[in-house]
Amino acid sequence: MKRSFLLLAFLFSTFYVFSFSKNEKSLLSKKEIRSIILVSNLDTVKKADTVKKKEKKFAFMPMPTLTYDRSQGLGAGVIAMGFFKADNSKKVPLSRVMAVGNYATNDSYYIIFGTRLYLKEDYWRILAAVGYINYNFQAYQTFEDIDEGSQTSVYETPYATKGSLFAFAIQRRIFENFYLGIGGSMIRTDVIVTLPDKSELVDPNNTNSLAIPFSFDTRNSIYNPSSGIFIDGRIASIPSWLDNDEDFVKTMLYVNHYKKLGEHKILASRFAMKANFGDVPFAAQDYIGQTDLRGYTQGEYRGNQTYTVQSEFRNNFYKKWGYVGFAGLGIAYRKSETGAAAGDWYNSGASWSKPLPSIGAGIRYQVIEKDSQKINAGIDAAVGRGDWGIYFRITEAF
């Protein structure tokens, strides 16, 4: 308890010091880790991302959401976002505040509040989030068959993750287009696993982390880039001395590239790596799916490491309307002696999964245009190897 209190005090004091520093020549660190959900992508300033003083100071956009996938079922919720200029800097991207809530028919729900701030001519970037989740999902695990003695079989194992989280990240521009930072998170959850005999196992999971992020950003826009490169990386430590049950390291690397093919056509490409090392607990593992590779919603390909690549063609074909088409490929790694996936991969005992393809398409509609900065909303549908999903989004996938 004392360690948790000290960590919380450290995170808030660090946030305070970095947020109000006026020494733009000093080299400081900052940014964050995202354990479930969260943390990432503090972006760059260009002419397309600036706001004029005479414009409306706060653009508010509430929007209902509707989603469906095979794990969560039908989901309904609300995303409310506000875009604004955070200080009196002459050239700075639009900052934003956001509230997201969702409920799905498998009794999963979450509510999250967050902000991204761009300050001091984009020398400083701050990300913070707080929320509560009740997430029902499933994994695939080995258990001994009661009727077969010591023989083991693979079972689809339902589990629920319930708890709260706080995360923050602070970055400072060290030199042109390059940012370095410090971050951290506190996650307090209970993982409730339903065993094959229908009994329940409750596993308290506390994850307290400190992270060093880095990024390199030449994009011409944050919310709808048409050219440039964005490299976003993070090395996070989850040590036992921060009141964690396990001692391990999480790393993440995203590389995004954008190329304009015509007046209204863009080719966007992305490489994503998530690699965990050490005594990685079940709740901290990653799985193929979500934004990194659409079309996978079942959590079948889960392990300590995941790697994905994808490309997306974007075409604004008529006024505010556009469409996207995308394809990708992924692979996952897990320890063969414990496993974390279904079907032939699990039973083979192999460490690496088969190549996991993905293909899909979506529709876009421009909901905000502020000083030539365009923000889209849309719906995507994608299929993968024996899986599929539908995704509602505000802003592009990456």
Side-chain angles (χ1 to χ4, degrees):
M1 186 68 184
K2 291 182 178 179
R3 290 179 177 176
S4 300
F5 176 80
L6 292 174
L7 175 64
L8 184 61
F10 171 79
L11 295 180
F12 274 102
S13 62
T14 305
F15 182 86
Y16 180 90
V17 171
F18 276 84
S19 299
F20 293 93
S21 172
K22 295 183 179 181
N23 184 3
E24 295 183 353
K25 294 183 180 181
S26 61
L27 303 183
L28 299 173
S29 345
K30 45 230 170 282
K31 200 187 171 190
E32 161 351 276
I33 182 172
R34 157 201 144 218
S35 303
I36 295 199
I37 76 260
L38 284 139
V39 196
S40 70
N41 308 11
L42 305 168
D43 315 298
T44 200
V45 66
K46 302 292 176 183
K47 291 182 179 180
D49 291 324
T50 59
V51 259
K52 298 177 182 178
K53 292 183 179 179
K54 295 183 179 180
E55 285 188 325
K56 186 177 179 180
K57 292 184 178 181
F58 189 85
F60 179 65
M61 183 185 66
M63 185 171 294
T65 64
L66 186 66
T67 60
Y68 181 84
D69 67 51
R70 295 169 60 201
S71 294
Q72 302 296 299
L74 183 65
V78 175
I79 297 178
M81 303 180 73
F83 297 87
F84 61 99
K85 188 175 178 181
D87 63 13
N88 293 323
S89 301
K90 294 181 180 180
K91 294 182 179 180
V92 68
L94 292 174
S95 297
R96 75 188 191 198
V97 292
M98 178 177 66
V100 184
N102 190 79
Y103 178 83
T105 52
N106 76 336
D107 289 329
S108 292
Y109 60 88
Y110 62 84
I111 182 168
I112 298 175
F113 301 94
T115 185
R116 288 182 179 178
L117 303 176
Y118 303 88
L119 305 167
K120 301 294 183 182
E121 306 295 344
D122 199 31
Y123 267 86
W124 291 95
R125 296 173 173 185
I126 299 173
L127 169 67
V130 62
Y132 181 85
I133 60 171
N134 180 71
Y135 186 64
N136 298 311
F137 203 46
Q138 68 281 321
Y140 296 83
Q141 300 290 310
T142 297
F143 296 96
E144 290 187 358
D145 289 328
I146 297 175
D147 299 330
E148 302 293 336
S150 60
Q151 184 177 342
T152 60
S153 297
V154 179
Y155 290 88
E156 180 178 319
T157 309
Y159 71 93
T161 303
K162 301 180 180 182
S164 58
L165 63 93
F166 166 75
F168 82 98
I170 305 172
Q171 284 191 319
R172 189 186 192 279
R173 192 166 69 208
I174 304 303
F175 52 83
E176 186 176 7
N177 300 321
F178 180 76
Y179 292 79
L180 189 64
I182 190 171
S185 69
M186 295 182 63
I187 302 174
R188 293 288 184 269
T189 60
D190 286 333
V191 179
I192 305 169
V193 181
T194 302
L195 302 176
D197 62 1
K198 305 305 179 183
S199 63
E200 290 186 346
L201 174 65
V202 180
D203 181 19
N205 179 51
N206 298 332
T207 304
N208 306 312
S209 66
L210 293 174
I212 297 177
F214 57 90
S215 60
F216 178 79
D217 194 347
T218 64
R219 292 173 297 174
N220 65 335
S221 174
I222 292 174
Y223 299 106
N224 195 2
S226 59
S227 65
I229 297 173
F230 181 48
I231 300 173
D232 184 26
R234 182 175 71 246
I235 302 173
S237 176
I238 301 90
S240 56
W241 57 267
L242 280 182
D243 199 25
N244 294 296
D245 297 327
E246 308 292 345
D247 194 333
F248 62 102
V249 173
K250 292 181 71 73
T251 65
M252 176 274 288
L253 179 67
Y254 291 124
V255 181
N256 299 345
H257 178 264
Y258 306 91
K259 182 177 178 60
K260 193 170 185 178
L261 302 180
E263 186 176 356
H264 302 293
K265 299 178 177 67
I266 299 168
L267 180 64
S269 301
R270 177 184 180 91
F271 166 79
M273 178 202 79
K274 296 177 181 177
N276 308 318
F277 305 94
D279 297 325
V280 184
F282 170 80
Q285 290 179 326
D286 294 302
Y287 58 89
I288 296 289
Q290 301 174 321
T291 298
D292 291 339
L293 199 67
R294 286 159 283 184
Y296 292 89
T297 62
Q298 293 289 285
E300 294 183 65
Y301 299 96
R302 180 188 188 108
N304 288 355
Q305 299 177 33
T306 61
Y307 302 86
T308 61
V309 292
Q310 61 177 312
S311 289
E312 180 174 279
F313 176 73
R314 302 170 180 172
N315 185 12
N316 178 213
F317 67 92
Y318 179 73
K319 295 184 178 179
K320 294 186 176 183
W321 289 96
Y323 67 84
V324 301
F326 51 88
L329 192 66
I331 193 169
Y333 171 84
R334 46 93 176 188
K335 292 182 178 180
S336 58
E337 66 269 19
T338 57
D344 55 356
W345 180 34
Y346 193 109
N347 293 325
S348 71
S351 294
W352 293 95
S353 71
K354 290 182 177 180
L356 305 172
S358 167
I359 190 169
I363 194 74
R364 297 288 184 269
Y365 183 77
Q366 182 183 302
V367 292
I368 288 181
E369 182 174 6
K370 191 174 179 64
D371 194 42
S372 301
Q373 180 171 273
K374 300 177 181 179
I375 299 174
N376 293 334
I379 298 177
D380 296 338
V383 295
R385 182 186 290 273
D387 204 349
W388 57 276
I390 297 174
Y391 307 83
F392 179 93
R393 64 181 67 260
I394 295 179
T395 73
E396 299 298 342
F398 59 91

